[in-house]
Amino acid sequence: MIVKVENVSKTYKNGVKALQNLSFEVREGEIFGLLGPNGSGKTTSINCILSLLKYEAGNIEIFGESMTPERYDLKAQIGYVPQQVAVFNELTVEENIDYFCGLYVKDKQKRKSLVDEAIDFVSLNDYRKFYPKKLSGGLLRRLNIACGIAHKPRLIILDEPTVAVDPQSRNKILEGIVKLNKQGATIVYTSHYMEEVEQICSYIVIMDKGQVVSHGTKEKLKAMINLGETIEITLPNRNEAYLDLFRQLPNVLDCFYKDRILVVKSGKGQTNIPNVLQLMNEHDIKYETIYSSLPTLNDVFLEITGKELRD
C-alpha cells in the first residue's frame, strides 16, 4: 500500500471540522482521484498526508511506514505539486527546477540530467532562461509540475494542477500525468473538475464535508445511482406546460429547464429517446437539438449529496 489514511480528523482553531474520521487507501500504480467541491477537505487531506498539518486523531502511513514531519526519507520519495504556484520569481525556469530537484539530489551531474528531462517532459525547452513573471498561466503550471517531479518520486501528489489554465495547457498537463503513471509513479490527483478525474483516474474517492461519501472505479460509482440517461432538448421557446407532458413518460426521474433546454432524466434501462420523440411528434413540439448522455461523476455526486459538484 502506497498511502493509508485511517480515521483521520482535523479541526481548525475556528472550530471548522475539515476532516471527520477520513479513511482511504492508495494502491501502487494507481491514478487515485480525490474528487469534491472547494472546501470539501481535499487540500487538508493532502497537507495531513505530507505532515504539513497536525491532526488530532487517526494515523497515516506512506510506503507502509508511519508518516511524521521528521520522515525526510519518506518525503524524498514524494513529489508535491501544490494548488498555488510555488516557484521563485528571482530564478529562471531552469534554475527553479534545479533548486527543487537539489533538495533531494545532491550529485550535480545527475541533477543536470534530471532537470533536462523534466524540462523536456513539460515542454519548456524554449523557456529555460525565462523568469516566471514572463510565463503564461499554463506555462507556470507546467513549471510548477516540473519542480515537483524532477527528482523522480515514487508518489506524486497533484492538488488542483489545472486551475485557471486554458484548455490546451489542461490537456497537456493531463497527458503528462498519464505518462508519469505509465513510467511507474503512483499519482494522487485532487480536483473539483469531474471531467478530468473521469478521464485519467483509475480509482476515485468522492469527498464532501471532510468525509468520504463514496468510492470506487468510475464504472462502479455510476452503477450505484438510479440515473440511466439524461436527455437535453433545446427548444425555440420555453414552455412550462411541457414539463407535465414529459413527466408522464415511463421511467422519468425528473424533468426541468436550464434556460431554453428541457432536461429529462430517466432511470436505468432502455433509452427514452423513442418515447420522447413520439411525444414531441404527437404534440407538435418544435425543437432545435436533442442530445442524450450517460451518467457523469457530477450526476453521482448530485444524487449522493443533493448538490452540484462544481461550486
Side-chain angles (χ1 to χ4, degrees):
M1 199 65 62
I2 297 294
V3 180
K4 184 176 182 179
V5 177
E6 190 172 18
N7 298 321
V8 171
S9 294
K10 168 65 181 176
T11 303
Y12 288 106
K13 291 182 179 179
N14 59 5
V16 173
K17 295 182 178 180
L19 303 177
Q20 303 182 60
N21 296 315
L22 182 70
S23 297
F24 61 79
E25 296 179 347
V26 180
R27 294 171 176 81
E28 187 169 8
E30 286 184 331
I31 302 182
F32 179 93
L34 270 180
L35 181 61
N38 291 329
S40 62
K42 302 187 304 296
T43 297
T44 299
S45 301
I46 296 306
N47 286 335
C48 288
I49 288 171
L50 295 170
S51 280
L52 299 176
L53 272 180
K54 292 183 179 180
Y55 46 93
E56 58 267 18
N59 183 58
I60 293 175
E61 293 182 359
I62 305 290
F63 311 127
E65 300 186 44
S66 292
M67 182 65 168
T68 66
E70 296 77 25
R71 290 301 303 267
Y72 300 110
D73 58 327
L74 298 181
K75 292 182 179 182
Q77 302 177 66
I78 302 172
Y80 176 45
V81 181
Q83 183 173 349
Q84 301 298 326
V85 174
V87 296
F88 293 102
N89 290 323
E90 301 81 5
L91 302 179
T92 65
V93 164
E94 186 172 9
E95 290 168 342
N96 263 291
I97 300 171
D98 181 70
Y99 172 81
F100 286 102
C101 187
L103 296 176
Y104 310 101
V105 181
K106 302 305 178 183
D107 184 293
K108 289 185 178 181
Q109 186 172 358
K110 181 179 180 181
R111 192 165 72 241
K112 184 182 184 307
S113 176
L114 290 172
V115 170
D116 288 343
E117 188 174 344
I119 289 174
D120 184 62
F121 182 82
V122 296
S123 300
L124 287 178
N125 280 298
D126 294 337
Y127 304 93
R128 281 176 174 266
K129 302 304 179 182
F130 279 55
Y131 289 91
K133 64 181 180 180
K134 296 293 185 181
L135 301 177
S136 67
L139 294 176
L140 266 177
R141 289 285 173 182
R142 292 194 216 171
L143 172 59
N144 207 38
I145 291 172
C147 290
I149 62 130
H151 62 291
K152 295 285 188 180
R154 289 176 61 193
L155 170 65
I156 301 173
I157 299 175
L158 301 108
D159 189 7
E160 305 273 7
T162 63
V163 170
V165 301
D166 60 276
Q168 183 177 3
S169 293
R170 175 175 283 117
N171 289 335
K172 184 72 176 178
I173 289 169
L174 295 178
E175 289 170 2
I177 292 168
V178 172
K179 187 175 180 180
L180 286 169
N181 178 247
K182 289 181 178 178
Q183 291 176 351
T186 298
I187 310 290
V188 174
Y189 187 84
T190 82
S191 182
H192 65 278
Y193 295 122
M194 58 281 188
E195 300 94 343
E196 295 180 0
V197 173
E198 189 162 355
Q199 179 180 340
I200 68 171
C201 293
S202 53
Y203 197 86
I204 300 162
V205 161
I206 298 178
M207 292 184 65
D208 189 33
K209 298 179 181 179
Q211 297 176 309
V212 173
V213 294
S214 194
H215 62 92
T217 63
K218 60 184 178 182
E219 292 81 11
K220 180 180 176 181
L221 289 170
K222 292 175 185 179
M224 291 178 182
I225 64 174
N226 295 319
L227 180 66
E229 176 186 42
T230 298
I231 300 171
E232 296 187 354
I233 309 160
T234 305
L235 302 172
N237 299 291
R238 179 167 170 160
N239 188 329
E240 299 296 328
Y242 292 160
L243 293 176
D244 288 334
L245 289 174
F246 283 95
R247 284 172 180 151
Q248 294 174 23
L249 290 175
N251 206 24
V252 168
L253 301 175
D254 196 8
C255 185
F256 55 89
Y257 275 106
K258 292 192 302 187
D259 297 323
R260 290 189 299 117
I261 300 176
L262 193 153
V263 181
V264 181
K265 291 186 175 289
S266 302
K268 295 175 182 176
Q270 294 184 341
T271 176
N272 232 347
I273 286 285
N275 295 323
V276 166
L277 292 174
Q278 182 178 346
L279 183 145
M280 294 175 70
N281 183 55
E282 290 174 353
H283 294 270
D284 195 28
I285 298 174
K286 307 299 182 185
Y287 67 95
E288 296 174 3
T289 62
I290 183 167
Y291 175 74
S292 172
S293 62
L294 297 174
T296 65
L297 290 178
N298 189 53
D299 293 317
V300 174
F301 193 86
L302 178 61
E303 187 165 320
I304 291 173
T305 68
K307 59 186 178 184
E308 294 282 348
L309 176 59
R310 193 177 300 177
D311 54 5

